[in-house]
Amino acid sequence: MNWPSFSLLLCTVLTLALAVLAAKRKVFPAQYYFVATLLGSAWWSTAAAIELLLTSPSSKVLFAQLAWIGIMAVPTFWAMFVWSYVKGYYQKPSWRWQLGLWLMPLVTVAIALSNEMHHWMYVSTLPISAEVGAAIVYQHGPWFYIAALFMYGYMTLSMLVLLNALARASRLHRRHYIGLAIAMAVPWLANAAHLTGLVTLFDFDPTPFSFLLMGCIFYWLVSHRQLFDLLPIAHDVLLDAMPDAVLVINEAKQIAQLNQAAQSLPNMPPNATGLPLARLEYLNSVLPLLWGKELPVEFEIELGDTYYDLRSVTVYYQQQAIGLLLVLRDITHQKLIQHELKQTLNILEDQIEANALLQQQLREEAIHDPLTGLHNRRFLDEIAPNLIANASRKEQPLSVVMLDLDHFKTINDQQGHAVGDIVLRHVAQLLQTNLRQSDYIFRIGGEEFLILMTDTLSEQAIQQTEVWRAALRQQLPQIAGRDLPVTFSAGIAQQSDEQLNLANALIQADQALYQAKAKGRNRSEQAPHQAPYINQACTSPTLAQPQQA
């Protein structure tokens, strides 16, 4: 074995070792393309080593032709590696995309192998001298220049992408980009020097030999500059330390990356990197609401018994939406707390409502007479100030009627208190039925009732008592199927704006009631010494009209 062949095989071993090392590492951006680039380099250097080992010119030409698979694969996959690494793409390409990438290398090697039929690749392949094992001089055909244009086009694209990334990269990333550019510039500068006839090595293309230096640079970047290691590890540690599920969605609507929390989402397969989002219906269904939104989007989703707060941020590159960052926070505990709090609030509201009803009930009981249901003296004390103020403001008369059942004690003594209660309820209902809505009736004693009649003259009030008396004669209380004769006496007092005083009116009405009792009962008397009150607007449709004198 000669030294050139040994050097190339050593280069092959180093390149393959780097490829194995890269393939075994944790997933990093463009991993597939990087490994493919190294394998293409190994193929190229291997074919070149065998070409140098062989002595037969035809065998040398054969391995030179086979080398075109690696020659074309290296720039193709390197360009894809640089592009995907800079953009942070993790997913492996589809088989259609892989077939497209391998198309040019396969077509080129096919043309090279069939060169004797058309001479598109080599016009002639002659030994440089008559010496055994002498190097071959290749006169290039048209397809060679097409292939060279293809290769250098890819390499130019790679350099442009790296230069653009350098301007935007962080300090550590910038060192990685510069290292990558130097590593790949070495073989392509050697290749350019060979094509232009400036440099040869052992009468051979120096490009495969430069792969040894390229491998050393890559090894130094991996071992000393932590290429593919430092940032991905820090990135993964950061993501995996987050309790929230984090997913990165690429332009192809696939999961480009996810953390351990996201791996626990429903229906998530063990290795979800590259998984089409269509496989996860609960995310795919909301994707139209998220994609391309300029502002972050946030809403809640329910997955079985678990609730998540989903936040989405569109990722832009050169003003184009290239992906989504999804963060799903488990808010089940908060939802349960909210549910419990809502239930507690509902219970409190029910208790407050029950307390309010109880208070209303207690108030009603406090201001009503439990036997007859009429208002009592306590309610009279509450409404009296407003009632007086309203009558004074409107300059309206206020009549007070004090009503007492005749011989009620005799009914209680002879018939019993139960009968007395029946009589009281009967009279109370009769009075309420024949009362205006603006008037107030109270039970203020055992058999005493008080009626306040707003906007009413004492004469009208007397006539109204006669209406009640007539109604009572027609509707006597029924005791054991028989009518029980019941009558009442009434005293009326009127208060005008000039002397509006309810306390005085009650005293006057009570005095008038005693007069009615003294004059034989079952009658109504008006309190004496009242100033006349004249108000043409005073009307009472439910009161009987006064008789013409």
Side-chain angles (χ1 to χ4, degrees):
M1 179 183 293
N2 52 44
W3 279 106
S5 300
F6 177 80
S7 300
L8 289 175
L9 290 177
L10 180 62
C11 177
T12 299
V13 172
L14 177 59
T15 306
L16 289 176
L18 285 172
V20 172
L21 178 64
K24 289 185 176 182
R25 298 186 75 82
K26 193 171 183 179
V27 177
F28 58 85
Q31 183 180 36
Y32 172 84
Y33 297 116
F34 183 74
V35 173
T37 300
L38 294 178
L39 292 178
S41 301
W43 179 279
W44 189 351
S45 59
T46 301
I50 295 174
E51 181 182 354
L52 287 175
L53 281 173
L54 297 175
T55 58
S56 169
S58 60
S59 298
K60 288 179 174 290
V61 171
L62 174 61
F63 278 91
Q65 294 169 336
L66 291 173
W68 278 102
I69 295 180
I71 295 172
M72 298 301 294
V74 169
T76 301
F77 287 100
W78 174 254
M80 295 308 302
F81 162 71
V82 171
W83 178 270
S84 300
Y85 183 78
V86 168
K87 288 184 172 292
Y89 290 162
Y90 283 80
Q91 71 273 15
K92 183 179 179 181
S94 65
W95 67 270
R96 291 188 180 88
W97 184 250
Q98 293 184 54
L99 182 61
L101 294 176
W102 282 105
L103 181 61
M104 187 62 176
L106 293 176
V107 169
T108 300
V109 77
I111 291 176
L113 290 173
S114 60
N115 184 70
E116 293 298 323
M117 300 173 58
H118 45 68
H119 296 287
W120 288 0
M121 181 61 72
Y122 303 120
V123 175
S124 66
T125 54
L126 299 174
I128 193 172
S129 66
E131 185 181 355
V132 176
I136 304 298
V137 177
Y138 299 95
Q139 296 295 326
H140 304 140
W143 189 262
F144 176 90
Y145 295 103
I146 294 175
L149 183 63
F150 176 87
M151 291 187 296
Y152 282 95
Y154 264 127
M155 294 309 299
T156 303
L157 175 63
S158 303
M159 286 299 177
L160 290 176
V161 172
L162 281 176
L163 290 174
N164 182 58
L166 278 171
R168 302 179 292 104
S170 63
R171 186 175 181 181
L172 185 58
H173 249 154
R174 189 177 295 115
R175 293 176 180 176
H176 288 174
Y177 292 156
I178 293 174
L180 292 175
I182 293 175
M184 285 309 298
V186 170
W188 293 108
L189 288 176
N191 185 261
H194 172 67
L195 291 180
T196 57
L198 296 176
V199 178
T200 59
L201 192 60
F202 306 110
D203 296 325
F204 197 77
D205 181 1
T207 306
F209 294 94
S210 66
F211 287 148
L212 182 60
L213 179 58
M214 180 196 75
C216 293
I217 295 175
F218 275 141
Y219 178 78
W220 180 79
L221 286 173
V222 172
S223 61
H224 291 79
R225 289 298 180 182
Q226 296 176 288
L227 181 68
F228 311 139
D229 191 15
L230 179 61
L231 288 184
I233 287 180
H235 186 259
D236 290 342
V237 169
L238 175 63
L239 287 182
D240 290 340
M242 295 180 64
D244 302 334
V246 180
L247 301 98
V248 179
I249 311 302
N250 61 19
E251 290 179 286
K253 310 300 188 295
Q254 297 172 331
I255 297 177
Q257 190 175 11
L258 73 167
N259 63 353
Q260 290 182 358
Q263 197 68 58
S264 302
L265 291 174
N267 302 326
M268 190 69 70
N271 185 14
T273 303
L275 180 73
L277 215 60
R279 297 271 299 275
L280 301 174
E281 179 58 30
Y282 57 87
L283 291 179
N284 191 55
S285 60
V286 299
L287 194 60
L289 304 175
L290 310 177
W291 194 267
K293 302 297 183 182
E294 294 183 1
L295 298 177
V297 180
E298 181 176 2
F299 54 85
E300 294 181 4
I301 61 173
E302 180 180 358
L303 305 179
D305 297 330
T306 307
Y307 293 87
Y308 291 94
D309 175 63
L310 188 151
R311 299 181 184 182
S312 170
V313 178
T314 302
V315 180
Y316 288 92
Y317 178 73
Q318 295 184 349
Q319 300 181 345
Q320 295 292 327
I322 62 171
L324 287 176
L325 176 64
L326 303 182
V327 180
L328 289 87
R329 173 170 296 177
D330 189 341
I331 58 171
T332 305
H333 183 65
Q334 292 91 319
K335 294 292 289 187
L336 292 176
I337 293 177
Q338 290 178 3
H339 180 69
E340 293 175 358
L341 180 60
K342 185 177 180 180
Q343 287 184 327
T344 303
L345 290 176
N346 289 337
I347 293 173
L348 289 176
E349 289 178 357
D350 292 341
Q351 290 178 348
I352 292 173
E353 184 178 356
N355 291 339
L357 291 175
L358 179 60
Q359 290 179 357
Q360 181 65 23
Q361 181 180 353
L362 292 175
R363 170 173 167 74
E364 291 296 320
E365 292 176 356
I367 63 176
H368 285 87
D369 172 51
L371 178 63
T372 62
L374 300 180
H375 288 114
N376 56 19
R377 185 177 289 275
R378 179 174 179 177
F379 187 66
L380 172 64
D381 295 337
E382 289 184 9
I383 68 166
N386 291 335
L387 196 63
I388 296 299
N390 187 57
S392 177
R393 184 176 64 256
K394 295 182 179 179
E395 299 182 353
Q396 294 176 346
L398 177 66
S399 290
V400 178
V401 179
M402 191 76 75
L403 188 149
D404 185 86
L405 299 183
D406 298 329
H407 305 294
F408 184 73
K409 186 176 183 304
T410 302
I411 296 175
N412 273 339
D413 293 343
Q414 295 180 358
Q415 304 288 337
H417 288 280
V419 173
D421 292 345
I422 294 174
V423 172
L424 289 173
R425 285 194 292 265
H426 179 81
V427 173
Q429 183 178 4
L430 184 142
L431 293 174
Q432 281 185 308
T433 303
N434 294 276
L435 202 67
R436 299 177 305 178
Q437 290 186 351
S438 59
D439 297 336
Y440 295 87
I441 181 171
F442 309 85
R443 183 188 177 198
I444 59 174
E447 69 272 18
E448 288 186 332
F449 300 90
L450 172 66
I451 300 96
L452 299 181
M453 306 184 70
T454 60
D455 195 16
T456 304
L457 298 172
S458 59
E459 292 81 1
Q460 294 173 307
I462 290 176
Q463 293 178 15
Q464 182 61 35
T465 61
E466 295 303 326
V467 172
W468 295 335
R469 189 171 284 111
L472 182 58
R473 284 195 299 268
Q474 295 176 3
Q475 301 178 29
L476 292 172
Q478 295 284 318
I479 305 298
R482 295 189 303 173
D483 292 341
L484 177 65
V486 176
T487 61
F488 66 83
S489 300
I492 296 93
Q494 174 188 319
Q495 291 290 298
S496 66
D497 183 54
E498 297 177 355
Q499 50 183 18
L500 201 56
N501 189 302
L502 184 59
N504 291 337
L506 291 175
I507 294 173
Q508 294 173 3
D510 193 53
Q511 292 174 351
L513 173 61
Y514 279 107
Q515 291 179 8
K517 293 284 189 179
K519 291 182 179 182
R521 294 182 172 82
N522 194 22
R523 59 185 292 124
S524 302
E525 290 292 331
Q526 180 177 350
H529 310 298
Q530 293 192 60
Y533 188 93
I534 301 175
N535 187 344
Q536 298 295 332
C538 180
T539 60
S540 180
T542 62
L543 297 178
Q545 295 297 323
Q547 299 288 334
Q548 296 292 331

